[in-house]
Amino acid sequence: SQTIHQWPATLVQPVGSPLSLECTVEGTSNPNLYWYRQAAGRGLQLLFYSVGIGQISSEVPQNLSASRPQDRQFILSSKKLLLSDSGFYLCAWSPPRTGGLYEQYFGPGTRLTVT
Amino acid sequence: QKEVEQNSGPLSVPEGAIASLNCTYSDRVSQSFFWYRQYSGKSPELIMSIYSNGDKEDGRFTAQLNKASQYVSLLIRDSQPSDSATYLCAVNKKSGYNKLIFGAGTRLAVHP
């Protein structure tokens, strides 16, 4: 079965500090990978998605970036955090199918507080 | 108009009743529809998927899809306090990749 991991689970960082969040998926090959952010009491905002190693597409302009150095590893980064970067960061994966099923499965998330 | 709309709630139902959660979407060519459950402080969990018009049942959950009306719903029979959560509707946006558009969610409260 497939498992998705995220770390750290919680993070408190000062404004202007760098950020690195990691996501790994087990039990599948060539998954589509996604980073979402959920602000308190708000919906899910898609930040980045990736269909393969080194292939990153950005959905929203911001001070965040993403990388996919390995097939099942997805990293979210920032050089300088803003207060508005606080939120619940979720990594998700979906099977690399075409047509039909497009379900996504979420990791446990990282709760980031920028102070 | 939002691409996926849900009533934010809270929807309050007594234990044992049927909870009915609704979702409308704007992209007529959408093909896949999903319901996620999100407990407070946790990540969303996929509970139902539906692709064809009509009903799909899984245990106490029934998803209903009406593509002509661009409407998808989730029924929860015999609601339990453990069903209290936010329910997110997600719709596949037909494009060159697998992208889901999420509604803001409906908060369900089941009271004993």
Side-chain angles (χ1 to χ4, degrees):
Chain A
S1 64
Q2 299 83 16
T3 308
I4 179 168
H5 302 280
Q6 284 187 249
W7 63 90
T10 60
L11 192 59
V12 180
Q13 291 284 92
V15 168
S17 63
L19 174 73
S20 181
L21 303 180
E22 189 164 343
C23 168
T24 59
V25 182
E26 296 178 354
T28 186
S29 296
N30 196 29
N32 296 324
L33 296 173
Y34 308 84
W35 278 112
Y36 290 87
R37 177 170 60 201
Q38 188 175 39
R42 306 287 293 275
L44 290 169
Q45 179 186 31
L46 179 63
L47 303 174
F48 301 95
Y49 71 93
S50 171
V51 298
I53 295 174
Q55 299 179 62
I56 309 294
S57 295
S58 174
E59 286 289 306
V60 183
Q62 62 232 318
N63 67 322
L64 300 173
S65 63
S67 62
R68 185 170 176 175
Q70 299 182 44
D71 181 45
R72 289 168 288 179
Q73 183 185 29
F74 205 21
I75 297 172
L76 182 70
S77 303
S78 174
K79 292 182 179 178
K80 288 185 178 182
L81 284 169
L82 307 173
L83 283 174
S84 57
D85 290 324
S86 292
F88 193 33
Y89 286 81
L90 293 156
C91 180
W93 74 275
S94 71
R97 306 180 190 132
T98 56
L101 301 178
Y102 290 99
E103 71 278 13
Q104 293 181 15
Y105 301 94
F106 287 87
T110 295
R111 193 162 303 280
L112 171 66
T113 303
V114 182
T115 59
Chain B
Q1 181 188 11
K2 293 182 181 177
E3 293 184 88
V4 179
E5 295 207 56
Q6 297 180 253
N7 188 318
S8 61
L11 173 65
S12 182
V13 300
E15 184 174 357
I18 296 176
S20 178
L21 304 162
N22 305 316
C23 172
T24 58
Y25 60 95
S26 61
D27 189 349
R28 186 169 289 276
V29 299
S30 297
Q31 297 179 326
S32 310
F33 306 87
F34 306 91
W35 284 99
Y36 288 81
R37 178 177 62 200
Q38 186 175 24
Y39 291 114
S40 181
K42 302 296 185 182
S43 62
E45 172 193 10
L46 178 66
I47 56 172
M48 288 290 287
S49 57
I50 187 167
Y51 314 101
S52 303
N53 278 327
D55 294 0
K56 179 182 178 183
E57 186 174 319
D58 183 0
R60 295 187 296 111
F61 298 102
T62 298
Q64 300 176 316
L65 175 61
N66 184 326
K67 290 186 177 181
S69 299
Q70 295 175 239
Y71 179 94
V72 59
S73 64
L74 178 70
L75 302 178
I76 306 175
R77 290 181 300 281
D78 188 24
S79 295
Q80 301 296 310
S82 59
D83 294 325
S84 299
T86 296
Y87 289 81
L88 305 174
C89 171
V91 175
N92 163 245
K93 187 176 178 68
K94 187 174 177 63
S95 66
Y97 69 100
N98 176 13
K99 178 176 178 178
L100 293 183
I101 306 298
F102 285 84
T106 298
R107 190 158 61 90
L108 172 66
V110 181
H111 54 87

